[in-house]
Amino acid sequence: MNSFWNGKRRFVALLMFLAGVFVALEVPPVIPFIQLPGEKFPEGYNIPFTDIRVTNTMVAALIVWIILLLLIAYIARRRPKDGSEVPPGGFYNMFEALFEGLMGFIGGIAGGRHFRLIFSMFMTIFLVVLIANWMELIPGVDTVGFIHPHVKEKYDADSGEYKVITTDGYEIYQGFLGISYVNGQCDWISPADEAAADQAALLAADEAALAAEQDQLEKAAYARYQAKHDDHGEDDHADEAAADEHADDEHSGDAADTDAVAAARQEALDARTAEKQARRDRGCYTGVATSSWEDGYVEPDKSEKKLIPLHPDPSSEDAKLVPWVVLPFVRVASTDLNMTLTLGIIAFVMIQYVGFKALGIGYLTKFFNFSTLFKSPLGGIDVAVGLLELIGDFAKILSFSFRLLGNIFAGSIVLFVMSFLVPILPWPFFILEFFVGVIQAMVFGLLTAIFMQLATVSHHHDDEHDDADAH
Amino acid sequence: MDPQSTIIMGKAIGAGLAMIGAAGGGIGIGISVGGAVMAMGRNPDHTATIQTNMILGVAFAEAVAIYALVVSLIILFVLS
């Protein structure tokens, strides 16, 4: 295997670079459509026997667990049964080295009576979070998925009816090998915007024509005025004549006016038509959009709107009537608050569990410390400190979940944006995200281990010893 | 100005203001890494321990900046 690839890797890299150039030219990059909650799959993709719609982050979490179980099965199979010291080599060897290193590392922090529990918790969280984080590096994750019409229907309190808001999204486009994708070359312009642009163009044409007409009239009047002044010296005569002329002008001017305005309007409309045609030539359309995609609100009356099927044939006329976004099949599980909050709660529960296991019911005195309340003048402080500890313990859940969510979500946005800005070479950021993924997995696991270790230590006795020493 | 642009403007300004909080995280990370590097320079034998504690401290300091980031992400992408 090794000898086969020696000296050929550079050609593989070159080939991938060329493929990147080809894809960047063939498939125009799209500004990412960013959504914080996990995106729901279309109707019909429920969790079996429930009404809960599958989200793309759930799929990613499922894949994480499948990978983890496969990893465990592989490691268990390759492990030498007879306890021999000879390592089988390869991936198993690497994993063993990693495992032993981490075991020593955690042993230094939490090596005690509860080491096995703490270490297994650390390693589980570390592996789950690591695999979940690294999934964002796989091409196709976050980018390949259902193409669906992005329309939001909102209740409009003023008119008392549901309105379709269609401001986001891009046109659908069929490219290489009949693969349909969202075309970032043209923003989707809603019919209302299009009509408004038409009106604006007409108005501008009217104004321009009127201004030109006015200009001309003024010039003509001035010229006549000058001519009259040269001919007749008397003021009153000139005034009369000028008034006459002016009335005449108004009369003839009206006809000229309408002609000029009509011409200007026609010109503006022609320009708009040409503009629209140019957009169409690029594959951009406008139209009326509706769909029954979103749920969670009262179903609006759609009798007057044109209904588009959920997954219209991309080449059909229906497909040209809606703005489109991609709903990825798989989105990194750590970018969903549900996943990170669950991990945070599990970590919290395990911290309390190991505390109770080590100290029994006495663990509660960490939070509700009334023992010194009446003995010492500063006993009230101990009570307050205990309550602060309680709040601090619950704050750990938030801290755990938001740290992971924020880092990985921000990381995947960076990857989107860089793939858009530099479609050929976004990989320096992939390397960055590789390390961010490791560090965040490490931090999550390590903090759990440290908090678990802290929970097993009784501060109470230490304090008493200190007091005894002081006295 | 039409309401839509006003909303977008408010969102952008709010998200930008929320990210001011990241400055605190940056200062904290700078101080902790600076201290750790100094400690490693004086005491190279304990590099591993210092590094571990430094990464922990950095993660804590970064968490605050990440809260600011999450708030601004929520302002931008969740509020509508």
Side-chain angles (χ1 to χ4, degrees):
Chain A
M1 180 84 179
N2 243 353
S3 55
F4 175 75
W5 284 108
N6 275 350
K8 288 177 186 155
R9 289 198 180 92
R10 72 193 70 173
F11 294 112
V12 174
L14 186 66
L15 212 65
M16 288 174 83
F17 178 77
L18 289 178
V21 173
F22 175 73
V23 170
L25 291 177
E26 173 63 25
V27 182
V30 177
I31 297 173
F33 177 74
I34 296 161
Q35 204 183 346
L36 190 53
E39 290 131 272
K40 278 179 187 163
F41 276 5
E43 280 151 19
Y45 291 87
N46 289 352
I47 296 173
F49 313 115
T50 61
D51 288 342
I52 304 167
R53 205 84 68 74
V54 173
T55 67
N56 46 12
T57 45
M58 276 187 212
V59 176
L62 199 67
I63 294 174
V64 168
W65 285 109
I66 290 172
I67 292 175
L68 202 56
L69 290 176
L70 288 178
L71 181 74
I72 292 170
Y74 175 78
I75 297 295
R77 235 170 67 92
R78 291 295 303 275
R79 187 168 157 226
K81 294 284 185 300
D82 49 359
S84 68
E85 289 293 311
V86 183
F91 180 75
Y92 176 84
N93 212 1
M94 188 201 81
F95 190 80
E96 198 179 83
L98 175 85
F99 193 85
E100 274 178 8
L102 287 175
M103 208 161 174
F105 180 56
I106 297 300
I109 293 167
R113 250 186 337 128
H114 304 280
F115 172 66
R116 285 181 70 89
L117 177 64
I118 293 176
F119 178 69
S120 51
M121 204 58 217
F122 164 81
M123 200 66 193
T124 311
I125 287 180
F126 175 71
L127 283 178
V128 170
V129 177
L130 184 71
I131 295 169
N133 289 353
W134 274 355
M135 271 180 72
E136 72 182 325
L137 305 173
I138 302 171
V141 170
D142 273 337
T143 48
V144 176
F146 300 107
I147 293 185
H148 77 92
H150 182 259
V151 291
K152 275 186 191 163
E153 285 168 54
K154 274 207 163 173
Y155 185 73
D156 184 24
D158 292 339
S159 59
E161 56 191 20
Y162 287 92
K163 286 191 171 171
V164 182
I165 301 171
T166 48
T167 50
D168 292 317
Y170 297 93
E171 295 303 325
I172 196 169
Y173 206 79
Q174 276 199 307
F176 183 60
L177 290 178
I179 299 165
S180 20
Y181 52 84
V182 182
N183 187 358
Q185 299 293 321
C186 40
D187 285 334
W188 192 80
I189 299 179
S190 72
D193 292 345
E194 199 74 278
D198 275 351
Q199 286 298 321
L202 283 182
L203 207 63
D206 279 1
E207 274 176 4
L210 277 178
E213 192 72 17
Q214 197 75 27
D215 211 33
Q216 229 167 17
L217 274 178
E218 274 172 12
K219 268 186 194 159
Y222 185 68
R224 272 194 296 274
Y225 176 71
Q226 287 241 317
K228 292 250 163 72
H229 252 265
D230 289 350
D231 285 355
H232 322 275
E234 291 111 68
D235 278 355
D236 54 339
H237 201 83
D239 270 356
E240 207 177 299
D244 267 4
E245 290 280 343
H246 200 85
D248 259 11
D249 262 354
E250 287 258 308
H251 221 70
S252 64
D254 258 355
D257 220 24
T258 37
D259 276 358
V261 169
R265 282 180 154 238
Q266 193 53 47
E267 205 173 299
L269 280 183
D270 285 352
R272 284 286 300 157
T273 314
E275 204 177 298
K276 284 181 201 164
Q277 192 54 47
R279 270 175 61 75
R280 268 184 202 128
D281 290 345
R282 281 187 292 141
C284 314
Y285 292 83
T286 49
V288 184
T290 27
S291 92
S292 54
W293 180 269
E294 297 272 348
D295 62 353
Y297 54 80
V298 186
E299 191 73 4
D301 178 21
K302 290 169 181 158
S303 52
E304 286 189 4
K305 303 170 194 160
K306 184 172 166 52
L307 279 174
I308 307 284
L310 259 183
H311 295 288
D313 181 9
S315 55
S316 69
E317 281 302 307
D318 280 349
K320 291 162 185 164
L321 298 180
V322 288
W324 296 85
V325 292
V326 171
L327 192 163
F329 293 128
V330 181
R331 200 180 100 182
V332 185
S334 323
T335 61
D336 193 335
L337 188 59
N338 292 309
M339 165 88 170
T340 58
L341 198 61
T342 311
L343 281 174
I345 290 173
I346 290 173
F348 171 78
V349 168
M350 286 311 291
I351 290 165
Q352 309 311 318
Y353 168 74
V354 79
F356 279 113
K357 197 180 171 196
L359 303 175
I361 200 75
Y363 176 66
L364 282 177
T365 57
K366 187 178 162 194
F367 305 124
F368 306 104
N369 188 4
F370 299 113
S371 58
T372 56
L373 185 54
F374 300 111
K375 288 182 199 161
S376 131
L378 295 178
I381 291 179
D382 281 348
V383 176
V385 167
L387 289 179
L388 277 184
E389 286 257 5
L390 188 66
I391 296 168
D393 254 31
F394 280 103
K396 275 172 199 163
I397 302 179
L398 282 185
S399 154
F400 271 134
S401 50
F402 279 145
R403 182 183 302 117
L404 186 59
L405 172 87
N407 270 295
I408 304 306
F409 190 65
S412 53
I413 291 177
V414 165
L415 291 187
F416 287 149
V417 172
M418 284 305 148
S419 305
F420 163 68
L421 286 177
V422 203
I424 301 168
L425 280 179
W427 49 259
F429 294 91
F430 279 79
I431 297 172
L432 177 79
E433 284 311 307
F434 178 87
F435 288 114
V436 168
V438 184
I439 289 174
Q440 287 311 313
M442 195 70 195
V443 162
F444 202 118
L446 200 59
L447 285 180
T448 312
I450 287 172
F451 288 142
M452 283 172 89
Q453 168 65 20
L454 286 179
T456 61
V457 179
S458 166
H459 290 289
H460 200 54
H461 291 293
D462 292 351
D463 287 350
E464 279 179 359
H465 278 299
D466 285 350
D467 283 351
D469 289 344
H471 290 304
Chain B
M1 196 185 292
D2 64 313
Q4 198 64 34
S5 330
T6 318
I7 290 171
I8 292 173
M9 187 186 80
K11 273 182 172 182
I13 293 176
L17 287 180
M19 281 313 288
I20 291 175
I27 294 169
I29 292 173
I31 290 174
S32 61
V33 172
V37 168
M38 259 192 268
M40 280 185 233
R42 287 184 190 173
N43 214 343
D45 292 346
H46 290 83
T47 302
T49 327
I50 294 166
Q51 220 160 25
T52 314
N53 288 322
M54 181 195 81
I55 288 173
L56 267 184
V58 165
F60 277 126
E62 198 195 10
V64 179
I66 293 293
Y67 297 156
L69 178 71
V70 169
V71 168
S72 75
L73 288 177
I74 286 174
I75 289 173
L76 282 179
F77 303 124
V78 178
L79 293 184
S80 61

